[in-house]
Amino acid sequence: MRTICGFLVLMAICFAQTRSVTDAEVQKIHKSVLLIDTHNDITSRTVTGYDIGKAENDGHTNLKAMREGGLGAQFFAVYVAANYTNGNRSAWRALEMIDTVKHDIIARYPNDFVFATTADDIERIHKQGKIAALMGIEGGHAIEDSLRLLRDYYELGIRYMTLTHANTNNWADSSGDMDKAGVKHHDGLTDFGKQVVREMNRLGMMVDISHVADKTFWDALAVSSAPPFASHSSCRAISNVPRNMTDDMIVALAKKGGVVQVNFACEFLSQKTADASKELLPKMAAARGENNRALMEEYRKTVPPASLADVVAHIDRIVKIAGINAVGIGSDFDGIQCVPQGLEDVSKFPNLTRALLEKGYSADDIRKIYGGNLLRVMRAVEAVARRQ
Ligand SMILES: [Zn+2]
């Protein structure tokens, strides 16, 4: 009897948290929002010849799926892996990645993608029924310690830069190697690192604190005269991994007008996934690009995936501690090993809309989460640049 009562109480709680939502309502609201995803790594495939227009593939992103998912704007990652620092090839790689966005994505499919660099561009292109395509550099080592290269990247259209990837560079500590012996750390940002942030402010390039070490985050927050943001990070209170943000960090970022764009990587969403994949993930990261089938198979068999409900739980937490203006979407599709059940690829965003509506979020809330908050940050960054 106690079990049944317990079950009934649980059911009552579940129903109290949800409302039923029709397909028509999901579609109507999903079509009415401007969905901006601030991190997609399909560029690591297009740069080696992959056709984003090809509908059937084993990844998370293609043009047809982007249309089905209702993408309004996509920041494509200009990802520069740490190994390009060997022989100073980081800038070469960044230029190749910029070219793949412009040549293999935008120029190849001009009826679908339009190059964008401002918040106004995004809204104008969205009204035309096309997808605004933007670029963010992932890995501050891409500037090869030169503010001149930073300015060149801005001229080429880069509108955010993740200060580090998983590697500490010459001017900023990364969350990815704080425990690694032999890495020279700086206790956050060096003086030059602070200059980089100030130059990004002056130019109008968003300061992205995803991937950075905690001290780097606090330094960037203190130095930046515009609101920084996290292009693809989640909550450490739910999944305790260094890549996620603590509640204190989220609240402080929100106070400065910034936004946390929730990452869909299962490990960042679910502690269970993080624990189960702890040993496998570094091996897979080392083998990135090699398509190591044995490792992939082991991962599939032993690691439980996260779910759509986990994504909603991260959004809920950010809203609870920092407010509805502090949260957005940075999927990291095609840059992650494991995607949540129900959000397997870019076509599945309407499932998230349904889940948020069921949880009691209004259409206006969803508009903020999906793009309104990010547009606000972009405009604030643009305004700071105009003042300088
Ligand atoms: Zn990343």
Side-chain angles (χ1 to χ4, degrees), residues 102-124:
K102 293 188 175 182
H103 181 77
D104 302 320
I105 297 177
I106 298 168
R108 191 163 180 181
Y109 296 101
N111 293 327
D112 296 285
F113 294 109
V114 180
F115 183 51
T117 57
T118 65
D120 285 354
D121 281 351
I122 291 177
E123 288 186 324
R124 176 179 45 81

Side-chain angles (χ1 to χ4, degrees), residues 164-242:
T164 72
H165 188 241
N167 56 304
T168 288
N169 57 40
N170 293 335
W171 46 269
D173 288 343
S174 166
S175 66
D177 59 13
M178 289 308 286
D179 300 332
K180 220 177 188 175
V183 176
K184 186 181 171 287
H185 288 112
H186 319 288
D187 190 29
L189 284 176
T190 65
D191 286 345
F192 177 74
K194 290 173 186 170
Q195 272 186 58
V196 171
V197 169
R198 285 190 204 102
E199 188 63 3
M200 290 172 78
N201 291 158
R202 194 187 67 81
L203 290 166
M205 192 188 286
M206 289 187 284
V207 175
D208 178 14
I209 54 78
S210 285
H211 282 285
V212 305
D214 290 7
K215 182 61 165 46
T216 307
F217 164 83
W218 291 110
D219 285 354
L221 197 71
V223 169
S224 181
S225 52
F229 85 126
S231 71
H232 59 309
S233 293
S234 302
C235 304
R236 208 180 293 172
I238 300 178
S239 182
N240 186 11
V241 295

Side-chain angles (χ1 to χ4, degrees), residues 39 41 79 138 162 165 210-211 232 243 263 288 332 335:
H39 202 86
D41 273 302
Y79 165 58
E138 184 171 30
T162 320
H165 188 241
S210 285
H211 282 285
H232 59 309
R243 262 291 274 111
N263 187 316
R288 189 172 172 165
D332 211 356

